Amino acid sequence: MLERLIQSLETSPVMKRGDYNYFIHPITDGVPLLEPALLREIGCAMVRVLDLSRVEKIVVCEAMGIHIGVTLSLMTDIPLVVVRKRSYGLPGEVAVHQTTGYSKGELYLNGVGAGDRVVLIDDVCSTGGTLRALISALGQVGAEIADVCVVIGRGDADIGRPYKTLVRIEVSADRVRVVDPCT
């Protein structure tokens, strides 16, 4: 299981961003090429591990959660909500402050309301900053989070609740190593 994902991660280039070893991968960066077979493999794995019972919406963060969320939405017929990097000023919009291992900024949640049962999906979790911010925003609007899943876990971030990871990795200055694939 997840052979394509593991192989693609273990051959990913690594670059420095300050003191941070940043890996470049189609799922987390959209480059060099995002293969449909890789998305299908990830979508199938998420369907197997997620609690999708009575889920009404899939919530992802712009930009790198979109392709994963679309894949899962097409496989399950569950509508997709994209948390955006710009405000639309719609009624009920919630601003979300996000801080990651290498950036920070504002995100904006629309389309989720009180009582909505959602799953939260992300491409990678390193520090947990994005997921913590999204969990807080979903709590502000009164949504129920049924489950949380990330494709790639890097480190052991605490997001304030349990979450599922398809693979865990370690990143050195020159390589990515998969240390814990989902089975």
Side-chain angles (χ1 to χ4, degrees):
M1 187 166 116
L2 297 172
E3 292 86 12
R4 282 182 178 86
L5 178 59
I6 292 168
Q7 191 276 332
S8 65
L9 281 164
E10 290 186 338
T11 58
S12 294
V14 176
M15 63 178 272
K16 281 285 202 192
R17 281 197 173 169
D19 293 333
Y20 191 79
N21 292 322
Y22 185 90
F23 69 100
I24 302 167
H25 187 267
I27 293 300
T28 59
D29 299 285
V31 295
L33 179 69
L34 188 51
E35 295 284 353
L38 179 59
L39 285 171
R40 272 192 304 275
E41 182 180 79
I42 289 166
C44 289
M46 285 195 168
V47 167
R48 281 191 295 273
V49 303
L50 281 167
D51 174 8
L52 296 172
S53 62
R54 301 182 344 269
V55 166
E56 300 162 300
K57 296 174 183 175
I58 298 165
V59 177
V60 300
C61 190
E62 179 183 32
M64 298 318 300
I66 295 173
H67 53 285
I68 302 160
V70 166
T71 301
L72 189 60
S73 179
L74 288 170
M75 293 176 78
T76 62
D77 285 329
I78 299 171
L80 178 65
V81 172
V82 178
V83 179
R84 299 295 309 264
K85 293 180 180 176
R86 68 173 170 215
S87 173
Y88 288 85
L90 296 173
E93 181 174 83
V94 175
V96 180
H97 182 71
Q98 161 210 28
T99 302
T100 71
Y102 53 88
S103 70
K104 58 175 112 176
E106 297 300 317
L107 300 169
Y108 300 89
L109 173 66
N110 286 287
V112 178
D116 286 346
R117 185 169 163 85
V118 305
V119 292
L120 181 54
I121 303 298
D122 208 357
D123 60 327
V124 66
C125 181
S126 297
T127 64
T130 300
L131 288 172
R132 279 191 304 275
L134 292 174
I135 289 166
S136 174
L138 290 165
Q140 285 179 48
V141 299
E144 176 190 351
I145 301 172
D147 215 344
V148 179
C149 187
V150 297
V151 177
I152 303 162
R154 180 178 179 179
D156 294 316
D158 179 5
I159 65 167
R161 63 162 290 140
Y163 64 99
K164 296 169 178 155
T165 303
L166 298 185
V167 296
R168 290 200 175 278
I169 63 169
E170 291 177 349
V171 183
S172 65
D174 63 344
R175 71 182 286 246
V176 174
R177 188 169 70 90
V178 174
V179 294
D180 186 18
C182 173
T183 54

